[in-house]
Amino acid sequence: MYYIVFGILYLLSLLPLAFLYLLSSFLYVLTYYIIGYRKKMVFKNLAVAFPGKTYEERKQLAKQFYRHFWDNWVEAIKLMSISAGTVRRRVSSDLAALETVYA
């Protein structure tokens, strides 16, 4: 079973990132609007974490959560086949602050 799932995910990782983000958007719509996966729990947690926010603000946060959730998943899948050069082009960092703390 592991090899079947790994194989399917690896084949998905070979698709262009633009297509994977399109898939992410589809999954966001599916889970937020159609299925409502753990929607009550998300809203309950947001109400506890942000008691001062209005319902509409918490609704926006919930939508951002679902969108970010699926973006993270497709990016993790893409990591299975992405080249090191592509990662270097997409990710940048400034380690000066860490070097100062370390010194």
Side-chain angles (χ1 to χ4, degrees):
M1 182 70 169
Y2 166 80
Y3 293 108
I4 294 170
V5 172
F6 184 83
I8 292 169
L9 291 177
Y10 185 77
L11 288 175
L12 270 175
S13 77
L14 296 174
L15 295 171
L17 202 51
F19 180 80
L20 290 175
Y21 280 124
L22 193 62
L23 176 65
S24 170
S25 295
F26 169 73
L27 292 170
Y28 154 70
V29 169
L30 185 71
T31 55
Y32 183 80
Y33 290 105
I34 299 170
I35 297 173
Y37 175 71
R38 295 179 58 93
K39 204 170 182 181
K40 289 180 185 176
M41 182 58 67
V42 169
F43 276 95
K44 180 180 174 186
N45 288 341
L46 287 173
V48 170
F50 302 104
K53 294 203 180 279
T54 65
Y55 176 77
E56 286 303 315
E57 290 172 320
R58 289 194 299 264
K59 187 175 175 183
Q60 281 301 106
L61 287 172
K63 288 180 181 181
Q64 290 172 2
F65 161 74
Y66 279 95
R67 186 171 296 280
H68 187 69
F69 176 79
W70 286 113
D71 284 348
N72 277 336
W73 268 103
V74 298
E75 289 167 359
I77 291 169
K78 185 64 178 177
L79 284 174
M80 296 173 79
S81 67
I82 198 167
S83 68
T86 304
V87 171
R88 277 191 224 99
R89 277 197 322 267
R90 292 182 174 274
V91 177
S92 63
S93 62
D94 181 14
L95 302 177
L98 289 176
E99 290 170 359
T100 304
V101 171
Y102 182 72

